Amino acid sequence: MFSSIAYSSFFLSTIFLTSLIFQSKAQLNATFYDTTCPNASSIVRSVIQQALQSDIRIGASLIRLHFHDCFVNGCDGSILLDNSANIQSEKDAAPNTNSTRGFNVVDNIKTALENSCPGIVSCADILALAAEASVSSQGGPSWTALLGRRDSLTANQAGANSSIPSPFESLSNITAKFSAVGLNTNDLVALSGAHTFGRAQCRLFSNRLYNFSGTGNPDPTLNSSYLTTLQQICPQSGSGFNVANLDPTTPDTFDNNYFSNLQNNQGLLQSDQELFSTSGAPTISIVNTFSSNQTAFFQSFAQSMINMGNISPLTGSNGEIRSDCKKVNGS
């Protein structure tokens, strides 16, 4: 039995440790820029809505930047850094090269924010705000982004190659990568629902169309008429950089049709369809729930975006507020 003094000491130590673990989350808050840059959110939204006029894909591209940023060293804006003498850019990592896009819009947002409140809003927070504005501008849920991240001084190209989930991976591998950053199975299914809009290049799924896992045949979980459509978009000898809609039903609207597509064997990426077609997987019941209840999906998606945005942010005096999202200050 603990003595009362020992118990009190143990209890206080436990509280201290718990506070350390959650400190980074507690330092992000919804009112971070209320006095220093009160129009930050509306400025971000305005630039994105303008960009959507000429590029309907941009919302999906911006949310992907936030996702690929957060999975590598946390949500620190490291994905935005270009190559330099001291930095191997994450843009050149396999999951990002010739694939990630929207950097020009991030630069436009940064310019607008610097004009309004110079030196205040981090590039990492721009990605979090841009993700919310992109989703809510295209029919999806709105949420209050937690803010106060600072920008990294380094990038981690090797981490980008190893930590970002791949469309070719098994569900168990992808689940492990989510778990490694503190996200659970519900987060995995909800965040995968971001594939309700946007495009994917043929090279990311053409293995399913002709020679799946070395069988010489298409992926058996692909709907046959959908297979024919995709083979026309992605001929066997064609460019791997042609694009197909991630959601064939409502390609530019953020809704729950992604999950109905999975039930109809119309998931575009292997990593999409696995959520529903992996025998006995805990993801199947979540797909079914989100397919039948868009409100449940929207609520889960918003919470999972907040959860993802909480991955290891730099706060306080760590990192910096970059004046140019592409490079570290003074470089």
Side-chain angles (χ1 to χ4, degrees):
M1 294 287 290
F2 283 133
S3 71
S4 60
I5 293 175
Y7 181 80
S8 297
S9 174
F10 172 77
F11 183 68
L12 288 171
S13 298
T14 303
I15 287 179
F16 177 68
L17 283 171
T18 304
S19 72
L20 281 180
I21 291 167
F22 290 104
Q23 191 174 34
S24 65
K25 295 185 180 181
Q27 287 176 330
L28 298 184
N29 63 77
T31 60
F32 192 82
Y33 298 116
D34 278 13
T35 55
T36 54
C37 194
N39 296 323
S41 183
S42 59
I43 290 170
V44 172
R45 181 174 299 275
S46 174
V47 174
I48 289 174
Q49 288 177 339
Q50 184 178 4
L52 280 166
Q53 300 303 311
S54 57
D55 180 7
I56 196 64
R57 297 172 58 190
I58 196 62
S61 299
L62 289 169
I63 196 171
R64 186 165 180 252
L65 287 182
H66 185 40
F67 172 53
H68 283 207
D69 182 39
C70 290
F71 267 67
V72 183
N73 290 15
C75 310
D76 62 357
S78 58
I79 193 172
L80 302 173
L81 289 171
D82 283 343
N83 283 310
S84 71
N86 303 312
I87 288 169
Q88 278 192 300
S89 177
E90 292 172 23
K91 296 177 184 180
D92 294 333
N96 296 329
T97 187
N98 297 317
S99 172
T100 45
R101 57 195 299 277
F103 298 106
N104 58 322
V105 177
V106 174
D107 289 339
N108 292 344
I109 293 169
K110 182 62 173 173
T111 298
L113 286 167
E114 289 298 302
N115 288 338
S116 181
C117 25
I120 299 297
V121 181
S122 68
C123 301
D125 275 349
I126 286 173
L127 292 181
L129 287 166
E132 191 283 332
S134 296
V135 170
S136 58
S137 293
Q138 290 185 258
S142 181
W143 64 92
T144 303
L146 302 183
L147 304 165
R149 301 167 192 80
R150 289 167 66 84
D151 296 321
S152 71
L153 304 175
T154 58
N156 184 359
Q157 188 181 110
N161 277 318
S162 61
S163 300
I164 295 171
S166 155
F168 309 110
E169 284 188 285
S170 68
L171 179 57
S172 59
N173 279 11
I174 293 171
T175 301
K177 287 186 174 182
F178 272 72
S179 181
V181 292
L183 299 177
N184 63 25
T185 302
N186 197 77
D187 295 316
L188 163 58
V189 180
L191 293 172
S192 295
H195 288 173
T196 179
F197 64 174
R199 317 283 184 265
Q201 297 174 355
C202 291
R203 65 192 178 99
L204 299 179
F205 59 86
S206 58
N207 64 310
R208 303 184 69 207
L209 308 184
Y210 302 102
N211 184 23
F212 185 61
S213 299
T215 61
N217 294 308
D219 184 339
T221 63
L222 255 178
N223 175 292
S224 58
S225 60
Y226 187 44
L227 170 64
T228 302
T229 300
L230 293 176
Q231 287 175 330
Q232 291 168 348
I233 297 170
C234 306
Q236 201 158 6
S237 58
S239 167
F241 294 98
N242 290 351
V243 295
N245 296 325
L246 281 158
D247 175 355
T249 51
T250 52
D252 300 316
T253 302
F254 198 100
D255 54 26
N256 67 333
N257 283 7
Y258 168 83
F259 299 102
S260 307
N261 297 338
L262 300 186
Q263 293 173 322
N264 295 326
N265 288 332
Q266 290 184 299
L268 183 63
L269 306 178
Q270 176 185 329
S271 53
D272 292 323
Q273 194 57 48
E274 283 172 339
L275 298 176
F276 187 73
S277 298
T278 303
S279 181
T283 51
I284 296 171
S285 62
I286 306 172
V287 169
N288 289 336
T289 297
F290 291 164
S291 172
S292 63
N293 187 338
Q294 182 165 277
T295 301
F297 165 49
F298 279 11
Q299 289 174 342
S300 284
F301 184 82
Q303 185 57 54
S304 291
M305 286 298 295
I306 292 168
N307 296 345
M308 185 179 79
N310 278 333
I311 300 171
S312 305
L314 297 171
T315 56
S317 59
N318 294 318
E320 65 180 14
I321 306 299
R322 285 184 216 140
S323 55
D324 180 340
C325 291
K326 298 185 296 296
K327 59 186 184 179
V328 173
N329 292 343
S331 63

